[in-house]
Amino acid sequence: MHFSYVTLFEGLIASYFEDSILKRAIAKGLLHVSFFNPREFTTHKHGKVDDYQASGGAGLVFFPQPLFALLRSIQKKSSNAYIIFPTPSGKPFTQNDAKRLAKKEHIVFVSGRYEGIDERVIETFADEVFCIGDYVLTGGELPSLVMSDAISRNVKGVLGNEDSLSTESFEQPLLEAPCFSKPPIYENKSVPSEFLKGNHAKITSLKNTMSEYKTQYFRPDLFSRFCVKHSYDKKG
Ligand code: ADE
């Protein structure tokens, strides 16, 4: 998987790949990352990439020329470049998107700053436009990283133990059951006793029940969908 980041702030993104799983994925040749700075493509004599909004109003937006030049140059070199714009006005990014996009060869994330990006750039180049949650961040760098992390975990070989993928929250209609480690009792709080008895059928059944209660409590929206899909009587 090749990720390209179009950003004014390479350092914000690059540091994420300097540790842990994604660092190893790069070392193993499973991931490749590259960076493109719109300032290097502007024809403005002072290196500007942003300007006032045509409609008036507060804030600057990326004007089209540098991004048109930059994205055209990426497309010329990489015919399979799949271009994604993170924006609060995009569709919600989900685990299904992460799995689907893990099959692409080359994804380009275009990070806006200021008030955003001239819509003509998005209309011309976007393969998809995503929002990572109902809040506004200062730029597209964090959303690009969030999406790349979620996508990378679904690229074959990136996770040491791929079994963990299939039991995770969002891989199933319910949230994952709580997990516990050692010791069995810590500061008077005990691991559920059934977990310590080694009866795997009972442990699985208890985990399923915990998943249902947890989902009902934290994500009633997911739980309602689960109930409809499984013609299930809601508890409580
Ligand atoms: N840019 C700023 N906020 C964002 C969000 N919530 N999702 C995607 N891109 C964004």
Side-chain angles (χ1 to χ4, degrees):
M1 166 65 76
H2 180 183
F3 290 134
S4 290
Y5 299 95
V6 174
T7 173
L8 294 174
F9 303 105
E10 171 175 340
L12 290 180
I13 295 177
S15 58
Y16 194 67
F17 293 93
E18 287 167 11
D19 274 302
S20 190
I21 292 177
L22 298 188
K23 178 184 177 183
R24 283 201 295 278
I26 290 179
K28 283 198 240 164
L30 299 169
L31 277 189
H32 175 69
V33 295
S34 35
F35 297 92
F36 298 88
N37 190 331
R39 262 191 231 295
E40 287 167 19
F41 288 78
T42 185
T43 52
H44 188 277
K45 59 178 188 265
H46 300 304
K48 258 176 62 163
V49 292
D50 56 310
D51 214 332
Y52 296 106
Q53 301 193 46
S55 57
L60 301 166
V61 294
F62 270 98
F63 56 78
Q65 179 276 320
L67 289 176
F68 265 70
L70 194 168
L71 292 170
R72 287 240 159 92
S73 103
I74 292 181
Q75 284 178 325
K76 214 165 145 194
K77 286 188 220 134
S78 170
S79 58
N80 56 9
Y82 194 80
I83 304 180
I84 292 179
F85 288 77
T87 152
S89 52
K91 64 180 171 175
F93 180 77
T94 67
Q95 181 70 7
N96 278 342
D97 296 313
K99 282 161 72 173
R100 179 173 57 80
L101 292 168
K103 300 196 176 79
K104 302 278 177 208
E105 279 175 36
H106 182 190
I107 300 179
V108 181
F109 293 98
V110 186
S111 296
R113 279 267 147 182
Y114 320 117
E115 279 306 296
I117 294 176
D118 188 302
E119 191 65 22
R120 290 165 292 183
V121 179
I122 300 172
E123 269 174 21
T124 308
F125 293 100
D127 287 301
E128 293 193 64
V129 180
F130 283 115
C131 171
I132 63 153
D134 292 343
Y135 39 79
V136 180
L137 298 161
T138 53
E141 284 78 9
L142 276 176
S144 298
L145 270 181
V146 166
M147 290 188 270
S148 347
D149 186 293
I151 293 167
S152 305
R153 313 175 74 252
N154 289 283
V155 170
K156 203 166 170 33
V158 167
L159 288 187
N161 175 7
E162 264 150 37
D163 287 351
S164 59
L165 271 179
S166 60
T167 59
E168 281 174 340
S169 297
F170 306 116
E171 289 296 331
Q172 302 186 337
L174 296 172
L175 299 183
E176 198 174 352
C179 50
F180 299 88
S181 169
K182 288 175 185 163
I185 298 175
Y186 185 73
E187 289 206 350
N188 258 342
K189 294 181 181 74
S190 171
V191 170
S193 57
E194 205 62 64
F195 280 27
L196 306 171
K197 293 183 193 153
N199 181 331
H200 291 291
K202 280 196 174 165
I203 292 174
T204 303
S205 159
L206 180 60
K207 280 192 168 178
N208 289 341
T209 307
M210 287 168 132
S211 274
E212 284 170 23
Y213 280 119
K214 196 172 168 186
T215 311
Q216 189 173 18
Y217 186 76
F218 286 119
R219 292 293 304 270
D221 56 323
L222 289 183
F223 191 66
S224 293
R225 255 190 277 159
F226 168 76
C227 292
V228 170
K229 203 166 159 196
H230 297 266
S231 319
Y232 181 94
D233 263 347
K234 282 191 197 188
K235 293 197 170 107

